[in-house]
Amino acid sequence: QLGCDGEVDLRVFDASGRCVRTLVNGTAKAGNHLTVWDGTDDQGHNLSHGVYFIRLTTPTATAKTKTVLAR
């Protein structure tokens, strides 16, 4: 949940730290939001199974988590 209106950046990184997908990069209103990642990179290619890291950056905080892509 976003605590204030502002710039939002939501990206997916591979295990080596390379950004493979930018899901959101823009402004958003405060509140709950849902974004679905389909397992593709920025060029639309399917990524291989494995561990990926998600990073959400807002004006007031940064949150990180990891996820497993299983095909």
Side-chain angles (χ1 to χ4, degrees):
Q1 178 174 353
L2 295 177
C4 63
D5 297 352
E7 292 294 317
V8 175
D9 187 71
L10 181 62
R11 295 177 190 247
V12 179
F13 296 85
D14 64 14
S16 68
R18 181 177 59 105
C19 179
V20 294
R21 180 74 185 263
T22 300
L23 298 171
V24 177
N25 186 4
T27 57
K29 296 271 187 199
N32 293 319
H33 299 271
L34 175 67
T35 301
V36 177
W37 175 43
D38 59 4
T40 61
D41 65 13
D42 280 333
Q43 290 74 41
H45 302 114
N46 288 329
L47 293 169
S48 61
H49 66 278
V51 176
Y52 291 87
F53 299 89
I54 313 294
R55 184 183 72 200
L56 172 66
T57 305
T58 70
T60 59
T62 297
K64 300 173 190 171
T65 190
K66 70 178 179 178
T67 189
V68 175
L69 177 62
R71 295 221 179 255

